[in-house]
Amino acid sequence: MQGLAMGVPTVKLTFTSWILQANAWLDLSVFTQANKAKFQNKTHTDLTEGKFIVDIDLLKGEICAFKIHGQEAPFEAEVLNRTSGEGVLRARGPIDCEQQKEYTFIIQAYDCGASPSGTNWKKSHKAVVHIQVDDVNEFSPVFREPLYRATVTEGKIYDSILQVEAWDQDCSPQYSQICNYEIVTQDTPFAIDRNGNIRNTERLSYDKQQHYKIMVTAYDCGQKRAMESVPVHIDVKPVCKPGWQGWNKRVDYEPGTGSKQLFPKMHLETCDGPLSSVRAMVELQTSHIGKGCDRETYSEKSLQKLCGAASGSTDLLPAPSASTNWTASLLTDSGRDSDLIFRFDGRQAANIPEWVVPQNLTDQFTIATWMKHGPSPGLRAEKETLLCNSDKTEMNRHHYSLYVHNCRLVFLLRRDFIQLDSFRPAEFHWRLEQICDKEWHYYVINVEFPSVTLFVDGVTYEPYLVTDDWPIHPSEIDVQLTVGACWQGGEVTTPRFTQYFRGSLSGLTIRPGKIATQKVISCLQACKEGLDISSLESLGKGIKFHFNPAQSVLVMEADDLESINTAMTKVSYINSRQFPTPGLRKLHITTTVQCFGEDTCISIPDIKAMVMVLPPSEPRITIAGVERLVWPAAQLRAPIGVALFKDIHIISTVTKTDATLSIGDR
């Protein structure tokens, strides 16, 4: 026993909650100020009672009552034997440890006093009673969550994938604490410790199994099991690899359907890298389709007519025929007969007949051609001549020529001498990547002497170098116009070709007296198929994009992942030709990711895909009507007559509309 304030002794009683038959003992001592009275009982009793004996020698009489101070205490004391001072302390109702674990109150003993009414009763000193309630394991563990989820990466062993947690309503440490967890599901690659941490016991494979569902139970320290097990779902994800996801390698395109999205579900995976910007370049490769960008649908003459080009141009590379036999010996690639592609391998060239050569090249004229050319072989490459007008015999003067030298395009123009002529511009040089990139490009040279302007795919380029020379003195020597090389008629024993061209040409024309306008040039090189962006307004301000003039290359830049992902889903392919050349168009996507403070932090693999242009439906016009018309003879003799083609229907698959035609009134 431990004394409290003013020397009051402590009385302790222990009960077992909610059980009516349980062992308890009471040790109660009562003191007066001068004398010591003892009453004890250590016999076994039930929960609701605690007996005690009061030594009445010093109280001079019998014990008649015990009084508990404090109405909140759910206990009462009763005298069992007045003479011996034996009493009992019982609870007035069930005691619940979960509601209250212990009670403390004060008790006093009273003698019977001088009269039966209790007047002048003497009372003992106050004693403190402290009661502790023993717990019973009546509650089962309960999990704090109805379901647990986690995601793991394949091939990795985790110390802890996730932690489950249960709790218990019991009041004592023995029964309220969770001492053990157990995985109920059999044959799983997981284990759980006593703190609820779940780990994998082997390396998981995404290809083998992508999802696991296991059941877990819990035990309190009294080994009472949870009434319900909790489900745990564990997803296995593949090892994160940076790159574009959600795209198809092949996209089919049906002619006449307009614009079609190429990557509607595409998104970039950076594996949570701290990126600061993303740059993606989408390239549509169409150079292998006809003469680049599917332009073989129309011949160059037809295109010039459609684009409103001025008449009077001379075609120097027509399809070979009886009247145009100078191209018969040249190598040709696949293409329409009306607009062949001529391939020069450094050994072929053609002399243009005199009756074909454009006459009267004044200070204004235009030279145009399609050209595909690669780097010249050798360290010191020779000139490669596309077009050359030189002396036919005796001398070797070049009057005008167009040639390639070390990936530079050079146009030479030496005018005839007149009395006032002096040193004048003669050679115009351009250094461009397109000249040697092995792709088709459309070149137009507008001459307004002394100014010469080059257009490549509709874009203007001024010469980076212009060199001067003296005019050519007039002579009686005839000139020879050649394609694919330059004719060397003088200063050699045998006249021959020199400075051969290596590449492909198509649609080489000269138009004297006029220059091509920017509008016509743009129309001639305009691409009927290319890349497009649908719903430009949905891109937002976080994306920057740029097309090349042919719309075959699209470059996009963004500062965040969401913007570039949205932009890529809007990239489309469009082909406005009604009958495009069927076949594949290659797609190439390169991506650069920049992180904070670093040039390139994440390497994104390039993507190679394709657009498959399906064969267009063959155009068909169907005329339908009744096979036989019958009228009475009287009606045929009438002045009005009959309509013969009243029910004729003409159906065209080209315009996809039906038309009804009535031919005549009779």
Side-chain angles (χ1 to χ4, degrees):
M1 294 186 295
Q2 181 178 0
L4 300 180
M6 298 181 65
V8 179
T10 301
V11 179
K12 294 184 179 179
L13 178 65
T14 302
F15 290 96
T16 303
S17 65
W18 295 103
I19 296 184
L20 297 180
Q21 298 296 327
N23 294 330
W25 61 271
L26 175 67
D27 186 356
L28 180 63
S29 298
V30 181
F31 296 86
T32 62
Q33 292 182 357
N35 301 302
K36 181 178 180 182
K38 296 181 180 179
F39 50 97
Q40 293 181 338
N41 179 39
K42 294 185 180 179
T43 61
H44 293 288
T45 65
D46 59 35
L47 167 69
T48 58
E49 295 183 344
K51 293 182 180 180
F52 52 87
I53 301 174
V54 180
D55 187 351
I56 62 173
D57 291 342
L58 299 178
L59 291 177
K60 304 299 182 181
E62 298 179 343
I63 301 300
C64 286
F66 297 99
K67 185 177 181 181
I68 296 176
H69 299 280
Q71 297 181 356
E72 295 180 358
F75 298 97
E76 59 184 7
E78 180 183 351
V79 178
L80 295 181
N81 191 317
R82 292 186 177 187
T83 303
S84 63
E86 183 180 2
V88 63
L89 182 67
R90 65 168 59 92
R92 293 196 298 266
I95 303 299
D96 191 348
C97 178
E98 281 68 48
Q99 294 182 359
Q100 191 166 340
K101 296 182 179 181
E102 58 184 26
Y103 298 88
T104 300
F105 54 87
I106 296 173
I107 189 171
Q108 282 183 300
Y110 292 80
D111 64 8
C112 293
S115 63
S117 62
T119 305
N120 298 323
W121 281 7
K122 293 182 179 180
K123 57 185 177 181
S124 70
H125 189 69
K126 294 179 180 179
V128 177
V129 179
H130 183 73
I131 298 176
Q132 294 178 337
V133 182
D134 286 342
D135 190 19
V136 172
N137 194 6
E138 56 185 313
F139 293 101
S140 300
V142 177
F143 285 94
R144 296 191 181 277
E145 301 291 339
L147 172 68
Y148 290 88
R149 289 184 178 274
T151 301
V152 298
T153 302
E154 65 174 345
K156 183 178 179 181
I157 297 294
Y158 289 82
D159 294 332
S160 177
I161 297 174
L162 78 159
Q163 184 181 23
V164 298
E165 185 180 2
W167 68 288
D168 197 304
Q169 281 185 266
D170 289 310
C171 67
S172 65
Q174 179 182 4
Y175 301 137
S176 66
Q177 292 183 3
I178 307 301
C179 280
N180 193 25
Y181 292 90
E182 180 183 345
I183 295 178
V184 180
T185 308
Q186 299 294 321
D187 300 326
T188 63
F190 301 98
I192 190 169
D193 63 17
R194 60 186 305 167
N195 294 320
N197 293 301
I198 298 177
R199 59 181 177 85
N200 56 319
T201 56
E202 62 184 54
R203 301 183 187 277
L204 305 178
S205 172
Y206 176 82
D207 295 332
K208 180 180 179 181
Q209 189 167 344
Q210 302 175 11
H211 179 76
Y212 291 88
K213 178 181 178 181
I214 61 177
M215 303 299 293
V216 176
T217 190
Y219 295 88
D220 63 20
C221 293
Q223 292 304 304
K224 196 175 188 68
R225 180 174 171 171
M227 294 293 293
E228 294 184 2
S229 300
V230 68
V232 178
H233 293 185
I234 301 176
D235 295 318
V236 181
K237 68 176 182 179
V239 176
C240 184
K241 298 178 181 179
W244 290 101
Q245 298 182 2
W247 57 279
N248 294 324
K249 189 172 183 179
R250 168 174 164 168
V251 179
D252 290 340
Y253 180 82
E254 184 179 351
T257 57
S259 178
K260 182 172 183 177
Q261 288 178 270
L262 296 174
F263 315 108
K265 298 181 180 179
M266 191 176 193
H267 64 278
L268 182 61
E269 176 62 66
T270 61
C271 301
D272 299 325
L275 61 90
S276 61
S277 65
V278 182
R279 182 181 186 271
M281 183 174 70
V282 185
E283 182 180 4
L284 178 69
Q285 300 172 347
T286 60
S287 59
H288 61 291
I289 305 297
K291 189 172 68 268
C293 198
D294 199 14
R295 290 184 176 87
E296 63 178 7
T297 304
Y298 299 101
S299 67
E300 197 67 27
K301 282 187 177 181
S302 299
L303 280 175
Q304 290 179 3
K305 186 176 181 180
L306 289 172
C307 293
S311 60
S313 63
T314 300
D315 186 1
L316 301 181
L317 288 176
S321 65
S323 59
T324 58
N325 59 359
W326 68 89
T327 60
S329 62
L330 300 179
L331 300 176
T332 59
D333 284 339
S334 59
R336 296 183 181 273
D337 293 340
S338 60
D339 191 19
L340 287 178
I341 297 172
F342 293 89
R343 180 165 54 88
F344 298 87
D345 61 0
R347 290 177 293 182
Q348 289 85 23
N351 283 324
I352 310 299
E354 292 183 3
W355 61 269
V356 178
V357 177
Q359 303 297 320
N360 302 322
L361 287 184
T362 61
D363 288 345
Q364 283 191 341
F365 62 93
T366 296
I367 298 175
T369 186
W370 286 93
M371 180 179 73
K372 182 169 70 171
H373 179 264
S376 304
L379 297 177
R380 299 186 63 182
E382 295 183 355
K383 297 178 181 179
E384 299 179 56
T385 302
L386 286 73
L387 178 67
C388 181
N389 184 274
S390 60
D391 290 334
K392 192 171 187 178
T393 59
E394 300 181 27
M395 302 182 71
N396 192 35
R397 299 175 301 174
H398 293 187
H399 296 261
Y400 64 87
S401 67
L402 180 64
Y403 62 90
V404 174
H405 189 209
N406 291 328
C407 293
R408 291 177 300 162
L409 186 66
V410 183
F411 177 65
L412 170 68
L413 179 61
R414 297 185 68 188
R415 307 306 304 268
D416 291 339
F417 178 85
I418 60 177
Q419 187 175 1
L420 299 178
D421 271 351
S422 60
F423 214 47
R424 304 179 67 183
E427 276 191 339
F428 304 83
H429 299 249
W430 294 270
R431 183 187 291 116
L432 302 173
E433 293 181 359
Q434 295 93 317
I435 297 170
C436 286
D437 65 1
K438 298 182 180 180
E439 301 288 347
W440 279 106
H441 298 285
Y442 187 55
Y443 297 82
V444 177
I445 295 178
N446 272 348
V447 178
E448 290 182 289
F449 196 82
S451 175
V452 177
T453 304
L454 171 68
F455 294 85
V456 180
D457 297 332
V459 180
T460 306
Y461 295 93
E462 297 295 332
Y464 81 94
L465 175 64
V466 177
T467 59
D468 296 339
D469 202 350
W470 291 103
I472 296 178
H473 289 277
S475 68
E476 299 298 324
I477 302 174
D478 293 333
V479 293
Q480 176 66 60
L481 183 63
T482 58
V483 175
C486 197
W487 181 257
Q488 188 174 4
E491 302 177 354
V492 291
T493 304
T494 304
R496 58 184 175 85
F497 287 114
T498 186
Q499 300 175 3
Y500 284 96
F501 177 68
R502 294 178 177 85
S504 297
L505 297 175
S506 182
L508 176 59
T509 61
I510 296 182
R511 180 183 294 107
K514 294 182 180 179
I515 62 172
T517 64
Q518 176 76 56
K519 181 179 179 181
V520 171
I521 294 172
S522 298
C523 177
L524 289 172
Q525 66 87 37
C527 204
K528 298 298 183 181
E529 66 176 332
L531 299 173
D532 190 21
I533 295 182
S534 60
S535 304
L536 283 174
E537 64 279 359
S538 65
L539 291 183
K541 298 180 180 179
I543 190 75
K544 299 177 182 178
F545 65 92
H546 172 72
F547 285 99
N548 69 335
Q551 284 196 220
S552 60
V553 178
L554 169 61
V555 178
M556 299 183 294
E557 296 184 30
D559 295 335
D560 60 276
L561 203 57
E562 182 179 358
S563 296
I564 198 71
N565 285 339
T566 301
M568 287 299 292
T569 61
K570 305 297 182 182
V571 177
S572 304
Y573 170 80
I574 188 169
N575 196 325
S576 59
R577 293 191 185 277
Q578 191 169 7
F579 303 105
T581 303
L584 64 87
R585 276 75 164 158
K586 296 180 181 179
L587 285 168
H588 188 207
I589 301 178
T590 56
T591 310
T592 303
V593 177
Q594 185 173 354
C595 296
F596 295 97
E598 300 181 21
D599 293 334
T600 302
C601 59
I602 301 173
S603 178
I604 305 298
D606 290 354
I607 284 181
K608 293 184 178 180
M610 67 180 71
V611 177
M612 180 61 70
V613 178
L614 303 177
S617 302
E618 293 185 3
R620 180 178 302 174
I621 297 177
T622 304
I623 302 176
V626 295
E627 296 182 358
R628 180 179 299 177
L629 300 175
V630 179
W631 287 279
Q635 186 175 351
L636 293 175
R637 290 193 297 269
I640 300 177
V642 295
L644 296 178
F645 305 106
K646 183 178 180 181
D647 297 323
I648 292 293
H649 297 274
I650 300 177
I651 303 174
S652 172
T653 60
V654 176
T655 59
K656 299 183 179 179
T657 58
D658 295 348
T660 301
L661 176 66
S662 296
I663 304 178
D665 296 326
R666 301 175 182 270

